[in-house]
Amino acid sequence: MNIKEAKEEIQRAITSYLEKDEFGDYVISRVRQRPVLLIGDPGIGKTAIMEQISEELGIGLVSYSMTHHTRQSAIGLPKIETRMYKGEEYAVSEYTMSEIIASVYESIEESGLEEGILFLDEINCVSETLAPAMLQFLQYKTFGKHEVPEGWIIATAGNPPEHNKSVREFDIVTLDRVKKIVVEPDYDVWKEYAYNRRIHAAVTTYLDIKKNDFYRIETTIDGIEFVTARGWEDLSTMIKLYEKQGYTVDERLISQYVQHGRVAKDFAIYYDLYNKYKSDYQIQTILEGTYSEEIKERAENAKFDERLTLIGLILDSITDRVKEDIETEDYITELHKLLLELKQVCDVAAESIDSILGKYIVSRTSKYQEEKRTTVLSKEREKILRRVIIEIEAYKQHLHQEGVTDLHEGFAYIKETFGGSVADMKQHMADTQSALENIFLFIEDVFGSEQEMLVVVTELTVNYYSAKFISRYGCEKYFEHNKELLVYERQQELLSEIMLLNEEEEIDLSI
């Protein structure tokens, strides 16, 4: 199965393991909860999906790579205790708590999350001395005499033997105690993840054209050459930083992440071509609906590979806009809730506006830190909470500099400033909606309703940010062509939800 299907299977298993009966006991006892064993090629995303699952389920996560552990560090160190047997005192050997299990208890103490995932990577690469203890651990959830806390599910992962010389084949006794899931690389599934992670468009458009280069592990006369999903993601991050700093992205950099000679060379050539297309096609004029006849003619006469790159450039630009709009609205909505609270305080308080804002900054900072400590806080949520605190600090600083202390005068400024932010947000959203419509008008004008239109509609549907934007604000051309092309019939339920969301009333952001 692919990594997306594997994630669904694991999430369902963990949800089932955490199900409780009417007495508060787990329906499936801990001994009967089979640990998940995820087998897949290196860099395929096994660790990433564990992080996603813990975040989505709101449970803890403790990760360990078993290649770094000896029997002593995993099981614990021996110590001498005394015991009385039939009136006689004896020295007895016991073990200290395993570092791994101790980390679970520390996670519970720090986060307050009583349930979670204990993820052990490279489990089929354990040392020879540790291997016998793993069977006991997988069956009884113990290292030595110390148990994994109840409510913590064991998930493990390993690489196939052909990719790691240290791999130990599991016997039937062990395999009969785990929930084994084999994962295969799948670019189309990874691309959905790539959209969410904002992987550089040069990477995704290149892989759209050369899908076979997404994942390769080959043995050559020069040794092993490979490229993995992890390599592409890490390269994407570095390309963005290099571009920001004005550094040259060349084959030397690319080959550090894409460790396959031919693929690294091909992508280096493509990256230069990608930047040339980005300059030649003037993507902003397409979003504004002001593209020239010259651009239209070039697109009409372009080969399919160039057309795919052009579409990728267009979609990347619109994704930046819709992502910004979604994040801004979520931030504005969170700030609005706070300002409504502030208004009620200002109506009855006898303090200065500076004093009240100071208290709000302290309380919101404390709340943010507490939420970050006790929950699995997503990066998006963390960014929103921090932006709200920064904005309140900006209000306070401005009023202090202007010498404003009166509550009503101070709140009037805050209300006016917030109103301006809402107006800017709505204008930007309107411009984004117009840009979306202009994309469809350009595709219609240049390519008609052929395969290029199918690509655009499909990509907007699977792209997390564009799908979310359309669900909130709509796009007539999108729905028109989606219906015509019958894109993703399996997603009709999603599209029905999008239409329903469009009928909901707009959030009232007045204060």
Side-chain angles (χ1 to χ4, degrees):
M1 65 180 69
N2 59 49
I3 198 72
K4 183 178 181 181
E5 293 168 337
K7 177 185 172 183
E8 291 174 352
E9 284 295 314
I10 296 169
Q11 195 156 343
R12 290 169 182 169
I14 291 175
T15 302
S16 299
Y17 288 162
L18 296 178
E19 182 72 20
K20 295 180 180 178
D21 61 22
E22 65 272 25
F23 303 109
D25 298 322
Y26 291 105
V27 175
I28 302 177
S29 66
R30 178 165 51 183
V31 173
R32 303 297 298 176
Q33 292 176 359
R34 289 193 172 202
V36 172
L37 172 59
L38 195 60
I39 298 293
D41 294 339
I44 202 172
K46 301 186 290 294
T47 303
I49 64 170
M50 294 301 172
E51 295 171 350
Q52 294 166 25
I53 290 170
S54 69
E55 180 179 312
E56 291 168 14
L57 295 182
I59 59 178
L61 174 67
V62 172
S63 298
Y64 268 96
S65 174
M66 296 308 294
T67 55
H68 305 308
H69 280 280
T70 63
R71 185 175 186 275
Q72 287 74 25
S73 63
I75 296 179
L77 295 172
K79 62 178 182 176
I80 304 299
E81 296 287 348
T82 57
R83 293 284 185 272
M84 297 295 295
Y85 299 116
K86 295 182 178 181
E88 298 248 355
E89 187 178 272
Y90 294 88
V92 179
S93 177
E94 289 194 357
Y95 284 86
T96 58
M97 181 176 284
S98 160
E99 174 190 332
I100 296 172
I101 294 180
S103 294
V104 176
Y105 281 105
E106 288 171 5
S107 174
I108 294 172
E109 288 291 323
E110 292 175 1
S111 69
L113 297 173
E114 298 287 341
E115 297 177 328
I117 303 169
L118 172 57
F119 178 54
L120 305 180
D121 200 3
E122 310 287 357
I123 193 172
N124 54 352
C125 296
V126 296
S127 65
E128 186 175 350
T129 56
L130 181 56
M134 294 311 299
L135 178 59
Q136 177 193 15
F137 174 73
L138 293 173
Q139 182 172 6
Y140 298 108
K141 317 320 187 268
T142 63
F143 274 131
K145 294 181 66 175
H146 302 284
E147 296 180 333
V148 175
E150 193 173 35
W152 279 73
I153 310 304
I154 298 171
T156 66
N159 297 324
E162 60 267 26
H163 297 320
N164 194 324
K165 295 179 181 179
S166 302
V167 164
R168 297 174 178 277
E169 294 280 6
F170 285 132
D171 54 29
I172 294 176
V173 175
T174 304
L175 291 175
D176 195 37
R177 286 170 168 78
V178 298
K179 181 182 175 70
K180 183 180 178 182
I181 298 174
V182 178
V183 188
E184 300 290 339
D186 187 321
Y187 170 66
D188 290 328
V189 169
W190 181 81
K191 189 174 180 180
E192 292 184 39
Y193 166 82
Y195 275 136
N196 295 348
R197 298 287 294 180
R198 297 299 295 126
I199 299 298
H200 198 288
V203 171
T204 53
T205 52
Y206 171 80
L207 294 175
D208 281 338
I209 298 167
K210 295 189 175 184
K211 291 186 179 181
N212 290 335
D213 288 348
F214 168 59
Y215 198 100
R216 284 181 174 274
I217 300 179
E218 299 173 354
T219 301
T220 70
I221 58 174
D222 297 320
I224 295 178
E225 293 193 324
F226 62 92
V227 56
T228 67
R230 182 192 296 125
W232 285 118
E233 181 171 2
D234 291 346
L235 174 61
S236 164
T237 301
M238 193 57 68
I239 288 175
K240 289 184 176 182
L241 291 172
Y242 266 48
E243 290 177 342
K244 184 177 181 180
Q245 298 294 336
Y247 299 152
T248 300
V249 175
D250 54 20
E251 189 177 342
R252 288 185 304 173
L253 171 69
I254 294 166
S255 61
Q256 295 165 24
Y257 298 90
V258 177
Q259 299 184 52
H260 187 290
R262 195 271 303 162
V263 176
K265 185 180 292 294
D266 284 357
F267 181 71
I269 294 171
Y270 176 81
Y271 177 77
D272 291 339
L273 193 60
Y274 168 89
N275 284 318
K276 184 177 185 303
Y277 291 156
K278 188 174 183 179
S279 174
D280 291 351
Y281 277 107
Q282 302 172 37
I283 303 303
Q284 188 58 34
T285 64
I286 295 175
L287 299 183
E288 294 171 353
T290 59
Y291 57 89
S292 66
E293 190 66 27
E294 180 183 353
I295 289 176
K296 176 185 174 182
E297 290 178 4
R298 173 165 180 174
E300 287 175 333
N301 296 321
K303 294 180 180 179
F304 189 61
D305 286 1
E306 183 174 333
R307 293 184 181 189
L308 280 180
T309 302
L310 170 60
I311 290 172
L313 285 165
I314 293 171
L315 293 173
D316 187 60
S317 295
I318 198 64
T319 298
D320 285 339
R321 292 184 64 97
V322 299
K323 181 176 183 289
E324 181 183 351
D325 285 340
I326 289 167
E327 291 178 345
T328 299
E329 186 185 39
D330 290 343
Y331 150 71
I332 288 290
T333 301
E334 186 72 20
L335 180 60
H336 178 248
K337 294 177 185 176
L338 179 60
L339 295 185
L340 287 178
E341 295 177 13
L342 182 61
K343 181 177 184 297
Q344 294 177 343
V345 172
C346 289
D347 287 341
V348 297
E351 303 173 69
S352 69
I353 188 68
D354 186 78
S355 175
I356 289 177
L357 289 177
K359 290 179 179 179
Y360 261 82
I361 291 169
V362 171
S363 66
R364 294 298 294 193
T365 301
S366 176
K367 183 178 179 181
Y368 157 67
Q369 292 173 341
E370 178 69 11
E371 190 171 340
K372 187 176 180 180
R373 185 182 69 84
T374 60
T375 63
V376 184
L377 198 61
S378 69
K379 291 182 179 179
E380 291 78 10
R381 174 67 178 168
E382 183 176 350
K383 186 176 179 180
I384 288 169
L385 295 178
R386 293 179 69 177
R387 284 183 68 182
V388 168
I389 294 169
I390 290 171
E391 185 68 5
I392 298 298
E393 288 174 340
Y395 292 157
K396 183 177 184 297
Q397 182 179 8
H398 174 84
L399 293 172
H400 180 75
Q401 290 175 344
E402 295 296 318
V404 177
T405 58
D406 181 74
L407 279 176
H408 299 292
E409 183 181 351
F411 190 79
Y413 162 77
I414 293 172
K415 181 178 180 180
E416 181 182 359
T417 304
F418 177 75
S421 298
V422 172
D424 290 342
M425 176 190 72
K426 290 183 176 179
Q427 181 58 56
H428 196 277
M429 288 177 179
D431 293 341
T432 301
Q433 284 181 298
S434 177
L436 267 172
E437 297 288 344
N438 287 334
I439 289 172
F440 283 99
L441 291 174
F442 173 78
I443 300 298
E444 288 175 348
D445 188 26
V446 176
F447 306 118
S449 296
E450 300 298 327
Q451 54 188 340
E452 291 81 8
M453 183 64 76
L454 178 61
V455 170
V456 170
V457 175
T458 301
E459 297 299 302
L460 289 174
T461 302
V462 300
N463 184 321
Y464 171 81
Y465 293 107
S466 57
K468 193 170 185 178
F469 183 91
I470 292 170
S471 75
R472 290 186 181 183
Y473 314 115
C475 176
E476 291 183 11
K477 285 289 184 180
Y478 168 84
F479 289 114
E480 175 188 326
H481 287 286
N482 197 303
K483 184 176 180 181
E484 287 177 359
L485 296 168
L486 297 176
V487 173
Y488 281 5
E489 292 183 3
R490 64 183 176 84
Q491 293 188 343
Q492 289 308 305
E493 183 178 344
L494 169 63
L495 299 179
S496 297
E497 292 176 5
I498 289 176
M499 295 295 287
L500 180 63
L501 285 168
N502 287 335
E503 295 172 1
E504 294 180 356
E505 293 184 3
E506 185 179 357
I507 298 173
D508 181 8
L509 293 175
S510 60
I511 299 176

